[in-house]
Amino acid sequence: TQADLFGLAAMLAGKTIKLPASSTVPMDKLHTEGGRMPLISITLKAGTDLPPAWPFAQFVPEAVGRELAANAADSRDRLAALVTAPQNERFAQVMVNRVWKRLMGRGIVEPVDDWERGQPSHPELLRWLARDFVRHGYDVRHLSRVILNSHAYQRTADASLAATPVLFTAPARRRLTAEQVVDSLFAATGKPMMLEEVSLDIDGARELGQSISLGIPRRSWMLTSTSNERDRPSLALPRIQAVSDVLTAFGWRGSRQDALTDRDASPNVLQPAILQNGVVGGWLTRLSDDHGLTPLALTAATPDEIIETLSRRILTRPPTADEKTAYREYLAAGFADRVRAVPPKPPAVRKPVPYVTWSNHLDPNATRVRQQQEVAARAGDPPNDRLNAEWRTRFEDVLWAMVNAPEFVFTP
């Protein structure tokens, strides 16, 4: 009801609030006598004062919040205490159910965000996991460890299943999340992410209240929207945008404050296209000096060693006999002469790197600098010069084929 909703809002606000005029439905001609009934029941008049109130006494009495809160006079402290109180089994069960779905592919209560219609398929299991979760201080790592070590999780996936069955007899193969796809690509190839700082105020010239920096991302979860509402080239972040494009193709959204319980996980043609031909795909498959697989290309004793290592790192399995035969023949050409003798490089001369920030982005040179950075991002890092170019390309072809294997983006 409105009283429930705004009582909770008042707890968050820490004070009594008035019901806004927007929380009414006008009784226009459709709602008059003879017209259709309104779909929303209005139970309070606009302007009604609503004090802080806990509306979920069926889960935990409001008095518990006063007992457990650090400051019982603060309604926000009471709200936090009520939500996380050990007596509030619903909170622990909701958390357990979401972690269970993330790991198992289906919630014990499904859908996970509708407990009014959904009923637990295994109520005793849900209750036991929730109480164990509380006993261990709401430790998500402990909860994950319990699930991951279970027989239910460790059963072999059934490729014939379209979705995980309600009895969890066997998991269906599931696609990795957008963040898992990107992070796995960088981790498996050993290529550093090397993105820009997530900020348009890197010189700190703006007031603190008008600026925010999320640092230099090292994992996909650290990224957010790079929307450029002013549509100015100087405000672009080309390397971050390249990674964001891959994430978006797999269902990611950059709005942290507007999360989704269930993303669109359906396959589309853009997903393989952006991995095969996109900017990030070029970074991951070119053997640059800082690439994690360049040492393997330089020091491997045989093509078989390369094939075995790549298959286990990229696909987490040994290569099949057919793969070994095809890749061995392909890599054998020029393998013995693949390493070139090159003189040592002189120490790099460090030069000031021009930067673009909010305080100078209107300067004409700012756009030129950013366009140069975009060209450099698309080109990627130069290849390692110790490897023969023709054989290096062969290695990169094999790496490209494994990275773009359909099985890479699915759970085992």
Side-chain angles (χ1 to χ4, degrees), residues 296-306 335-336 338:
L296 173 66
L298 290 168
T299 62
T302 63
D304 279 6
E305 180 184 344
I306 293 175
F335 179 80
R338 72 191 187 283

Side-chain angles (χ1 to χ4, degrees), residues 97-103 105-107 109-115 117 174-175 177-179 250-253 258-266:
N97 193 52
R98 285 180 176 269
V99 174
W100 179 275
K101 177 169 184 175
R102 173 64 65 89
L103 298 175
R106 179 189 179 91
V109 174
E110 190 69 27
V112 295
D113 54 357
D114 189 350
W115 287 60
R117 291 181 298 176
R174 292 180 290 128
R175 203 200 69 199
T177 65
E179 292 90 339
F250 284 90
W252 175 82
R253 297 199 308 171
D258 189 21
L260 284 175
T261 293
D262 293 307
R263 291 179 178 173
D264 180 9
S266 57

Side-chain angles (χ1 to χ4, degrees), residues 21 34 75 81 149 164 170 234 249 282 288 396-397 400:
S75 63
N149 283 319
T164 300
S234 58
S288 55
E396 292 170 352
D397 288 345
W400 182 93

Side-chain angles (χ1 to χ4, degrees), residues 29 47 56 169 198 212 235-236 260 333 355 399:
K29 60 182 180 180
F56 303 117
T169 51
V198 187
I212 185 171
L235 294 179
L260 284 175
Y355 65 88
L399 175 59

Side-chain angles (χ1 to χ4, degrees), residues 185-192 283-299 309-310 313-314 395 399:
L185 286 167
F186 280 98
T189 60
K191 178 70 176 176
W283 298 349
L284 295 169
T285 54
R286 182 175 297 121
L287 293 183
S288 55
D289 290 346
D290 65 347
H291 198 286
L293 295 173
T294 300
L296 173 66
L298 290 168
T299 62
T309 303
L310 286 181
R313 284 192 61 156
I314 308 299
F395 185 106
L399 175 59

